[in-house]
C-alpha cells in the first residue's frame, strides 16, 4: 500500500499533540495524528483531569465535616470509594470522547497504533490491521512521559502503586506512604489523607514542593501537618520489603535508618520521557536523560522534526505542551510565533490548600542578581476568604527593586490555581508594579489579595 502523505504528522494525542493537530488544521495544513492508546493522552485519561475529579470529591467530603461551621447539618457522613473513582473515570471518558469529536471537526486523520520513524519525513505505524506508512515534511513528537521507577521501589499494582494505580485503587489505604512531594505526590497524599488514610510523605530534598518558593512550601507543610500528615524531609526510602499484608519501608533520615510499616505505597518520584522504540538513535536525535533536546522553537536539529511537551523537558505541564503545539503548528505553516518563555508558565498543585506560582522564587531572584522588593498578604485579611471559611493562605509577590518588573508570584490557599492567571497575564504584558497598583480589583473577591500583596511590596498595603 502506498504511503499516505500529509503536511504534518503528530505522534501522540495528549494535550500537546492534539492541540498541535487542531492548530495545524486551522492553518490549512493536512494533518495526521498517531496515538497508541487514548486520545487525550495521560492528562485527560490518567493525569490532570481524573485527579482533579478525585480531589473535588475529597474537598466536598472535607466540607461536609465542617457543615456545623456554616450553620448546616450533615449526619452519618461517609463515602463510597468505588463511586468516587467511577465519577472520576466518567469525567475522563467524557473529555477523551470530546477529543475524537474535535479531530473529526477539524478533519484531522487519526491513526491508532505504535509509531516509529524509519527515515526523515517518514512515520511507520503498526496498527491492529498491519503496518501503515505516512510521510510529511514536518513531524511533531508529542509522546509524553511515564512514571519514573527507582530500583527496589518498582510498582507492583498491589502494595506499591504509581499514579495510575492510585487513580483506580483496589482498596482504601489505611497506612499510606507517598514517596516524592512534587505535584503528583502531594495531590495523592492530600486526597487519601482527607478520606482518612494515615499518610506519610517522604521527600529527598530539604523541603516538600521543592520547586516552589520556600516560604510557600513551609506554609503548605504546616497545613498538611495540621491535617494529620507526617512529613519527612531530607529523607530517602532505601528499600521496600513486601509481604501479603503490607510493606516495610527502610527510610534513612539524618544518618539514621529506620523501618516503618505501611499497607500501601505510592511512588511519585518524577517522570521519564517516552523516547524508546521510535527510532530516534538512527536519526541522530539528541536525547538527554530521557528527554529530546530542542531549541526554544522545539526544533530537534533534524530537519522537519520537532518535539513538544513532556518529551521535550521541563516544565512538565499540560498547558506548556499545548502552547508548544500551537507554536510548532504556526512555524510549520510558515508563521513567526514567539518562543515560549518557561518563566511565564504557571505551576499549579491541587492539594488542600492549593499552591500556584509563576516566575522566580525569592531565592532564585536574589541568586540571579536582582535586588528585590517582596510583598505578602495573608488570607485572614481578606473578607471573601473569611466568608468562604478559608482564612488559611498567603499571596507573595517578588519585584525587581530597580525596574518594578514582576519577577514572580507565589500563592497558597483556596482557589489560588484560578487566581494565578492574573499574574501570568501581568508578566506576559511586562507589567510593572505601577500598573498592578492602578488596576481596580473587584470586591469582595480573593483577587483583592493579589492587589494588596503588590501594595505591600511598596509599603502601601491597606488591609493588613
Amino acid at each position: 500500500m502506498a504511503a499516505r502523505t500529509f503536511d504534518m504528522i503528530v505522534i501522540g494525542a495528549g494535550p500537546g499533540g492534539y492541540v498541535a493537530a487542531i492548530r495545524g488544521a486551522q492553518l490549512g495544513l493536512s494533518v495526521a495524528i498517531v496515538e497508541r492508546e487514548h486520545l487525550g493522552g495521560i492528562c485527560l485519561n490518567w493525569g490532570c483531569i481524573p485527579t482533579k475529579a478525585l480531589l473535588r470529591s475529597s474537598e466536598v467530603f472535607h466540607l461536609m465535616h465542617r457543615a456545623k461551621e456554616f450553620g448546616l447539618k450533615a449526619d452519618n457522613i461517609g463515602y463510597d470509594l468505588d463511586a468516587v473513582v467511577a465519577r472520576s473515570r466518567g469525567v475522563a471518558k467524557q473529555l477523551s470522547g470530546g477529543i475524537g469529536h474535535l479531530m473529526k471537526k477539524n478533519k484531522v486523520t487519526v491513526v491508532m497504533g505504535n509509531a516509529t520513524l524509519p527515515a526523515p519525513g517518514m512515520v511507520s505505524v503498526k496498527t491492529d490491521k498491519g503496518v501503515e506508512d505516512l510521510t510529511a515534511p514536518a513531524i511533531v513528537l508529542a509522546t509524553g512521559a511515564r512514571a519514573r521507577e527507582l530500583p527496589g521501589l518498582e510498582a507492583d499494582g498491589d502494595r506499591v502503586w504509581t499514579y495510575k494505580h492510585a487513580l483506580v485503587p483496589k482498596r482504601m489505604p489505611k497506612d499510606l506512604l507517598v514517596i516524592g512531594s512534587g505535584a503528583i505526590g502531594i495531590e495523592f497524599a492530600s486526597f487519601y489523607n482527607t478520606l482518612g488514610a494515615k499518610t506519610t510523605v517522604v521527600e529527598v530534598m530539604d523541603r516538600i514542593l521543592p520547586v516552589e518558593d520556600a516560604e510557600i512550601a513551609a506554609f503548605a507543610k504546616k497545613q498538611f501537618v495540621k491535617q494529620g500528615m507526617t512529613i519527612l524531609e531530607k529523607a530517602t526510602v532505601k528499600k521496600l520489603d513486601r509481604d501479603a499484608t503490607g510493606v516495610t519501608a527502610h527510610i534513612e533520615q539524618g544518618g539514621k535508618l529506620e523501618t516503618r510499616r505501611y499497607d500501601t505505597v505510592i511512588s511519585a518520584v518524577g517522570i521519564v520521557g517516552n523516547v524508546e522504540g521510535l527510532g530516534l538513535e538512527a536519526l541522530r536525535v539528541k536525547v538527554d536523560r530521557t528527554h529530546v533536546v530542542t531549541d526554544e522553537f522545539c526544533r530537534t536539529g533534524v530537519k522537519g522534526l520537532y518535539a513538544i511537551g513532556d518529551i521535550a523537558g521541563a516544565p512538565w505541564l499540560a498547558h506548556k505542551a499545548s502552547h508548544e503545539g500551537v507554536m510548532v503548528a504556526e512555524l510549520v505553516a510558515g508563521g513567526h510565533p514567539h518562543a515560549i518563555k518557561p518563566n511565564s508558565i504557571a505551576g499549579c498543585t491541587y492539594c488542600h490548600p492549593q499552591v500556584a506560582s509563576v516566575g522566580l522564587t525569592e531565592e532564585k531572584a536574589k541568586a540571579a542578581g536582582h535586588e528585590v522588593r517582596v510583598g505578602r498578604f495573608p488570607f485572614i485579611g481578606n473578607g471573601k476568604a473569611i466568608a468562604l471559611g478559608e482564612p488559611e493562605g498567603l499571596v507573595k509577590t517578588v519585584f525587581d527593586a530597580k525596574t518594578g518588573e514582576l519577577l514572580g508570584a507565589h500563592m497558597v490557599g483556596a482557589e489560588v490555581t484560578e487566581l494565578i492567571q492574573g499574574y501570568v497575564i501581568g508578566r506576559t504584558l511586562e507589567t510593572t508594579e505601577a500598573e498592578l497598583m492602578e488596576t481596580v480589583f473587584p470586591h469582595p473577591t480573593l483577587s483583592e489579595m493579589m492587589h494588596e500583596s503588590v501594595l505591600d511590596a511598596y509599603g502601601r498595603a491597606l488591609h493588613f
Side-chain angles (χ1 to χ4, degrees):
M1 194 166 76
R4 284 200 278 172
T5 300
F6 298 88
D7 296 322
M8 181 169 86
I9 299 167
V10 182
I11 303 173
Y18 83 73
V19 167
I22 290 171
R23 185 68 189 126
Q26 286 175 346
L27 292 166
L29 302 175
S30 61
V31 183
I33 193 161
V34 182
E35 171 55 47
R36 68 179 179 189
E37 206 171 359
H38 308 284
L39 293 178
I42 292 294
C43 179
L44 261 65
N45 295 281
W46 294 104
C48 330
I49 301 302
T51 51
K52 301 315 154 279
L54 290 183
L55 286 157
R56 177 64 170 161
S57 291
S58 69
E59 184 187 0
V60 173
F61 183 65
H62 169 73
L63 284 169
M64 286 164 77
H65 280 93
R66 294 177 57 196
K68 200 174 173 186
E69 279 178 49
F70 296 93
L72 306 172
K73 287 181 183 173
D75 299 319
N76 303 316
I77 298 160
Y79 62 84
D80 175 344
L81 186 61
D82 289 344
V84 168
V85 171
R87 176 181 180 270
S88 164
R89 300 315 307 154
V91 169
K93 192 178 173 190
Q94 182 183 340
L95 285 161
S96 181
I99 304 303
H101 169 71
L102 286 171
M103 295 298 97
K104 266 189 198 138
K105 182 185 161 192
N106 287 283
K107 298 184 174 60
V108 173
T109 301
V110 176
V111 183
M112 296 303 289
N114 272 297
T116 53
L117 300 166
M122 189 170 187
V123 177
S124 184
V125 188
K126 195 176 176 187
T127 71
D128 52 10
K129 290 175 188 162
V131 176
E132 184 175 358
D133 291 330
L134 314 171
T135 63
I139 295 171
V140 183
L141 297 173
T143 54
R146 62 186 184 278
R148 181 185 296 281
E149 300 228 57
L150 296 180
L153 311 183
E154 295 93 348
D156 53 40
D158 180 24
R159 293 291 163 193
V160 183
W161 297 349
T162 63
Y163 63 85
K164 272 196 177 183
H165 305 119
L167 278 168
V168 285
K170 293 178 171 184
R171 62 177 180 276
M172 177 63 197
K174 290 188 178 71
D175 282 289
L176 173 66
L177 171 64
V178 178
I179 308 172
S181 75
I184 294 170
I186 282 295
E187 286 183 2
F188 280 119
S190 203
F191 171 72
Y192 283 110
N193 188 69
T194 302
L195 292 189
K198 193 177 167 198
T199 303
T200 300
V201 178
V202 170
E203 172 54 57
V204 71
M205 305 293 278
D206 61 357
R207 63 172 186 260
I208 60 161
L209 297 164
V211 301
E212 300 297 341
D213 186 88
E215 194 176 347
I216 297 296
F219 190 104
K221 178 188 171 182
K222 202 169 151 192
Q223 297 306 310
F224 299 149
V225 170
K226 204 192 271 187
Q227 291 161 20
M229 274 190 218
T230 300
I231 308 275
L232 304 176
E233 293 160 326
K234 282 198 202 165
T236 311
V237 179
K238 292 291 190 186
K239 196 168 71 147
L240 298 173
D241 296 330
R242 309 155 201 235
D243 56 49
T245 58
V247 179
T248 301
H250 300 252
I251 302 170
E252 186 178 47
Q253 189 183 33
K256 289 182 189 164
L257 192 63
E258 283 185 18
T259 58
R260 300 187 187 210
R261 188 83 182 148
Y262 303 95
D263 63 38
T264 310
V265 177
I266 296 175
S267 176
V269 290
I271 61 170
V272 291
N274 293 322
V275 291
E276 308 87 351
L278 290 164
L280 300 184
E281 303 83 1
L283 292 177
R284 298 199 174 162
V285 174
K286 199 173 168 194
V287 176
D288 178 27
R289 286 166 294 177
T290 80
H291 297 287
V292 174
V293 177
T294 67
D295 67 7
E296 71 272 30
F297 289 103
C298 296
R299 294 178 291 218
T300 64
V302 174
K303 193 170 187 273
L305 185 64
Y306 302 82
I308 64 172
D310 287 356
I311 195 183
W316 295 289
L317 300 164
H319 43 286
K320 172 252 196 188
S322 296
H323 212 83
E324 286 178 338
V326 168
M327 177 185 74
V328 165
E330 291 180 356
L331 270 177
V332 172
H336 302 281
H338 291 289
I340 308 288
K341 291 179 183 166
N343 263 339
S344 289
I345 297 170
C348 297
T349 306
Y350 299 80
C351 41
H352 184 79
Q354 293 180 5
V355 177
S357 58
V358 67
L360 299 175
T361 63
E362 182 181 356
E363 202 177 5
K364 283 195 173 155
K366 286 175 179 171
H370 294 279
E371 188 188 325
V372 299
R373 295 191 78 130
V374 178
R376 297 171 184 84
F377 196 82
F379 274 49
I380 193 74
N382 176 263
K384 179 72 181 289
I386 294 166
L388 287 174
E390 299 285 357
E392 299 292 343
L394 177 69
V395 177
K396 176 176 179 177
T397 44
V398 182
F399 290 90
D400 184 290
K402 293 179 181 140
T403 65
E405 179 191 353
L406 175 65
L407 298 172
H410 311 276
M411 311 158 103
V412 56
E415 301 303 334
V416 296
T417 57
E418 297 290 344
L419 295 176
I420 194 66
Q421 189 57 15
Y423 287 133
V424 175
I425 291 168
R427 277 183 57 80
T428 302
L429 296 176
E430 299 180 354
T431 303
T432 66
E433 91 291 353
E435 287 95 2
L436 290 168
M437 285 183 188
E438 285 164 20
T439 301
V440 181
F441 286 72
H443 175 79
T445 64
L446 297 174
S447 70
E448 291 173 279
M449 292 184 284
M450 297 165 66
H451 191 220
E452 290 277 4
S453 179
V454 174
L455 293 172
D456 182 59
Y458 290 85
R460 290 177 50 180
L462 299 167
H463 289 93
F464 201 75

